[in-house]
Amino acid sequence: TINRALALNMDTAWRVEMVKAVTSDGELFARESKVLDLATGTADVAILLANAAREAAAAAPATPTASSATHVLGVDPSQNMLSVGRDKIRERGLEDVVTLDIGDARNLVDLQTNDFDAATMSFGIRNVPEKDKALCEIWRVMKKDGRSKLGILEFSEPGPEAGILGSVARLFIRTVVPVLGAALSGAPKEYLHLQNSIQEFPPPEKFKALMEGIDCSASVEITAIGEDGEKTKRVERNTGAFRVEEIRQMNFGSVQLYLATPYAS
């Protein structure tokens, strides 16, 4: 793809690193698990997650197969991108693991609260106008069990602390990205927008502060069984945010991998 060309084909390695991080090098697949991939596009990360689940199953054949106990849901607002993704999934025989649905990260209305063991988003949060709203929806649908992990991959302009190579990466974003993108795609405005959106995205520490400073809330239905066997239900309202455990710098400070844990207070 054009974006892959602009990333000099290094984005696959970045995505692989994100998958390894959010799944704890595949440990997640030792139990029944659900993973949400937002801004899935043509399902590159969803496919990486499914392949990782299959590899985990092959490595531990004595246990219930990890791939059959794993479900990956990819969500994206573009039906055209999802159509390409579905073709890729069929070609690889991954229909039993991966499902793709159209949706908006700011309004995951069809997804249950506290349901996903991990979530990923690569190069998508930058283009979401209401980032806090999207982050709170991701928080809502993720489990708050201390084990679930969120991985977000995103571009940003390297700061002066990145040194000479950071300056080269910054020059690449400001000059090469719009020119090369326009030449490859025939859509110069799109790649001027790409350059601008990278420039406008908050630096790592500010984005970390956003993730940790949001005030999310969700209603959870609790079912209890009394001594007489009768079921009673009550609704609790949880609040919380994310705890950013690590920010990994990649590509001379022009790409960050944010690894965070959702918590309820």
Side-chain angles (χ1 to χ4, degrees):
T1 66
I2 295 169
N3 284 329
R4 181 144 296 160
L6 292 174
L8 305 179
N9 210 37
M10 292 186 290
D11 64 307
T12 299
W14 304 335
R15 294 172 205 261
V16 167
E17 184 166 346
M18 177 175 65
V19 166
K20 287 182 177 180
V22 300
T23 65
S24 301
D25 288 324
E27 288 181 17
L28 173 67
F29 305 124
R31 61 184 190 273
E32 187 173 346
S33 56
K34 294 179 71 173
V35 186
L36 176 64
D37 180 41
L38 291 155
T40 195
T42 59
D44 286 346
V45 172
I47 289 169
L48 287 173
L49 286 161
N51 286 338
R54 285 193 165 178
E55 288 173 10
T63 62
T65 59
S67 60
S68 65
T70 299
H71 180 237
V72 180
L73 174 63
V75 174
D76 197 274
S78 170
Q79 193 63 261
N80 290 337
M81 300 280 271
L82 292 175
S83 295
V84 175
R86 289 187 183 105
D87 289 341
K88 289 162 64 174
I89 289 163
R90 277 193 295 271
E91 288 169 6
R92 292 162 175 78
L94 295 172
E95 302 99 317
D96 59 328
V97 184
V98 184
T99 302
L100 301 183
D101 281 334
I102 196 161
D104 186 332
R106 296 168 296 178
N107 186 24
L108 301 171
V109 63
D110 294 327
L111 303 187
Q112 295 181 14
T113 299
N114 295 344
D115 198 33
F116 288 90
D117 301 277
T120 55
M121 192 176 195
S122 53
F123 310 113
I125 194 68
R126 187 182 73 252
N127 297 314
V128 178
E130 299 162 296
K131 294 175 179 55
D132 55 344
K133 194 171 181 179
L135 288 168
C136 278
E137 272 293 82
I138 299 169
W139 174 88
R140 178 183 67 80
V141 302
M142 291 185 71
K143 294 177 181 177
K144 288 78 173 175
D145 57 4
R147 298 190 297 179
S148 61
K149 294 182 182 179
L150 167 64
I152 294 180
L153 263 178
E154 195 49 88
F155 288 112
S156 72
E157 279 212 346
E161 70 281 356
I164 293 174
L165 292 176
S167 298
V168 172
R170 188 161 56 247
L171 183 67
F172 179 82
I173 290 168
R174 291 183 178 181
T175 59
V176 177
V177 163
V179 173
L180 181 58
L184 291 172
S185 68
K189 287 185 179 178
E190 283 187 25
Y191 285 87
L192 181 60
H193 164 73
L194 175 61
Q195 172 209 354
N196 291 338
S197 68
I198 294 172
Q199 280 185 273
E200 293 166 6
F201 191 73
E205 287 305 316
K206 285 192 176 180
F207 187 62
K208 174 185 176 182
L210 172 64
M211 294 181 72
E212 295 189 331
I214 53 176
D215 185 16
C216 303
S217 62
S219 296
V220 182
E221 188 178 82
I222 307 294
T223 301
I225 302 177
E227 293 181 0
D228 56 0
E230 288 292 317
K231 290 183 179 180
T232 59
K233 294 184 179 180
R234 70 180 191 279
V235 175
E236 289 186 355
R237 192 145 189 89
N238 291 337
T239 61
F242 287 98
R243 186 175 296 108
V244 178
E245 310 289 355
E246 185 181 359
I247 304 173
R248 295 186 188 177
Q249 298 286 348
M250 304 174 178
N251 203 40
F252 313 118
S254 65
V255 175
Q256 286 76 39
L257 170 58
Y258 300 87
L259 296 169
T261 302
Y263 70 89
S265 54

